[in-house]
């Protein structure tokens, strides 16, 4: 039976560390500040933004909330971002996605200063992740690395299989596992014989957006299984991309949903804001 990797406990540890560093910066006269921009009022986005603000408050980061109307123009949004780019008292800028259809998301992301792009979505940060060097890394995959390291799981030399190739999770996840000297395979919807590939994994990271898709037959005995998915079933219960009941007897470690990867995303966002403020204070 697999050991549970407890994302609630590990994210709480990380937030405590951030809180102490934020207090240290405050004592030196720097209030760490994150600007959070939401356009429109998509209910799911409002929940995420609310959780980000709460986490900021908890760790002692000031959050500036920009709640813009659904019909905000691309020009207005870009002007706000440019203003925030120029402000010495703003360390991080986060534009909650998705944006309304009339706004070109990619252009918005690339307008955020790479030095304040705490989501790690700017091409310059994506490039740095792949080439090496200092930069922001997308919060969810960075959180997965922390879950593994803080659970004492070695990545070096392991067969790592990532299922999913999104810009936010799959691709940066693969780059991070490679940076940790894992042997990395990326699978996606066109992969042939998926189970054959996933069964090679010592570390299997799943981010495909299909509820309970990964069952025991996809998993090698003793594998570490990390579930990035989150879905709500017809009874309102949360589940991941991994069929937990099927896989957990076979795995050595597994992340639950909820309480696995989810809480790590916000903890890493806090960490990225701190890193930005520490860099700006240097
Ligand atoms: N929407 C869903 N996930 C994310 C995220 O990690 N960052 C931003 N900005 N928007 C999102």
């Amino acid at each position: 039976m697999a050991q549970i990797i407890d994302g609630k406990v590990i994210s709480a540890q990380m937030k405590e560390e951030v809180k102490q560093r934020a207090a240290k910066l405050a004592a030196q006269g720097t209030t760490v500040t994150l600007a959070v921009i939401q356009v429109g009022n998509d209910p799911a986005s409002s929940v995420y933004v609310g959780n980000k603000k709460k986490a900021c408050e908890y760790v002692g980061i000031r959050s500036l909330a920009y709640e813009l109307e659904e019909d905000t123009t691309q020009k207005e949004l870009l002007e706000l971002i440019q203003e925030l780019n120029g402000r010495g008292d703003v360390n991080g800028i986060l534009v909650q996605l998705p944006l309304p259809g009339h706004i070109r998301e990619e252009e918005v992301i690339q307008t955020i200063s790479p030095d304040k792009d705490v989501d790690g979505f700017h091409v310059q940060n994506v490039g740095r992740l792949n080439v090496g060097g200092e930069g922001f890394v997308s919060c969810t995959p960075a959180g997965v690395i922390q879950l593994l390291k803080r659970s004492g799981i070695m990545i070096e030399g392991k067969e790592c299989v990532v299922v999913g190739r999104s810009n936010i999770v799959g691709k940066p996840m693969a780059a991070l596992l490679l940076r940790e000297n894992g042997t990395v395979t990326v699978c996606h919807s066109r992969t042939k014989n998926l189970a054959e590939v996933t069964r090679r994994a010592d570390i299997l990271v799943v981010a495909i957006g299909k509820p309970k898709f990964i069952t025991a037959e996809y998993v090698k005995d003793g594998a570490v299984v990390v579930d990035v998915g989150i879905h709500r079933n017809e009874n309102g219960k949360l589940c991941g991309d991994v069929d937990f009941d099927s896989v957990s007897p076979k795995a050595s470690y597994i992340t639950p949903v909820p309480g696995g990867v989810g809480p790590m995303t916000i903890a890493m966002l806090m960490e990225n804001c701190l890193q930005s403020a520490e860099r700006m204070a240097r």
Side-chain angles (χ1 to χ4, degrees):
M1 200 68 180
Q3 207 168 312
I4 303 282
I5 300 178
D6 191 335
K8 278 186 284 189
V9 168
I10 296 172
S11 64
Q13 281 169 5
M14 290 202 64
K15 282 192 279 187
E16 286 311 315
E17 291 163 18
V18 169
K19 194 174 182 174
Q20 286 175 17
R21 282 157 61 200
K24 199 167 153 197
L25 280 175
Q28 296 164 5
T30 298
T31 306
V32 183
T33 301
L34 170 66
V36 181
I37 304 171
Q38 185 181 353
V39 185
N41 36 27
D42 172 66
S45 287
S46 298
V47 172
Y48 292 134
V49 165
N51 288 339
K52 288 169 188 178
K53 287 187 212 159
K54 261 190 271 176
C56 281
E57 202 172 318
Y58 178 78
V59 300
I61 293 177
R62 176 172 66 135
S63 65
L64 306 177
Y66 294 88
E67 285 151 16
L68 308 184
E69 299 291 337
E70 179 85 22
D71 63 358
T72 300
T73 63
Q74 165 113 1
K75 184 164 174 282
E76 286 167 326
L77 179 56
L78 295 185
E79 279 168 5
L80 171 60
I81 293 170
Q82 274 149 0
E83 179 204 322
L84 294 166
N85 282 345
R87 272 176 63 170
D89 65 330
V90 171
N91 307 108
I93 302 169
L94 183 149
V95 179
Q96 186 64 30
L97 305 178
L99 289 166
H102 66 280
I103 293 178
R104 292 183 297 278
E105 214 158 81
E106 196 50 30
E107 206 172 311
V108 170
I109 292 169
Q110 305 312 330
T111 300
I112 299 172
S113 161
D115 297 329
K116 297 188 178 184
D117 166 41
V118 286
D119 261 328
F121 295 168
H122 193 284
V123 285
Q124 203 163 306
N125 285 314
V126 175
R128 282 177 186 151
L129 168 62
N130 284 278
V131 177
E134 226 176 48
F136 294 112
V137 179
S138 180
C139 298
T140 299
V144 170
I145 296 292
Q146 287 299 317
L147 281 181
L148 295 173
K149 285 190 170 175
R150 289 169 187 252
S151 303
I153 295 160
M154 275 265 293
I155 300 168
E156 183 163 328
K158 297 282 175 65
E159 286 286 343
C160 304
V161 176
V162 178
V163 191
R165 56 171 160 181
S166 69
N167 289 337
I168 294 182
V169 181
K171 285 181 206 162
M173 189 73 252
L176 283 170
L177 290 164
L178 186 60
R179 193 165 86 175
E180 298 294 333
N181 301 312
T183 302
V184 183
T185 305
V186 182
C187 305
H188 45 79
S189 54
R190 309 285 169 84
T191 297
K192 296 207 173 82
N193 304 321
L194 179 62
E196 226 166 81
V197 183
T198 57
R199 273 201 303 266
R200 293 207 299 260
D202 301 312
I203 299 174
L204 178 62
V205 181
V206 188
I208 43 176
K210 291 182 185 166
K212 297 192 183 184
F213 183 86
I214 297 292
T215 51
E217 75 212 58
Y218 287 84
V219 177
K220 178 168 82 175
D221 256 324
V224 175
V225 180
V226 177
D227 188 353
V228 181
I230 184 147
H231 313 276
R232 200 176 282 281
N233 74 9
E234 56 285 358
N235 308 320
K237 204 168 165 264
L238 293 172
C239 75
D241 290 347
V242 174
D243 185 340
F244 185 91
D245 294 335
S246 165
V247 169
S248 60
K250 212 170 175 187
S252 60
Y253 289 87
I254 190 166
T255 64
V257 176
V261 173
M264 293 303 291
T265 299
I266 288 189
M268 291 311 304
L269 175 66
M270 301 296 105
E271 166 70 31
N272 281 351
C273 292
L274 241 286
Q275 272 182 25
S276 178
E278 286 169 349
R279 274 183 217 143
M280 282 171 74
R282 287 211 284 261

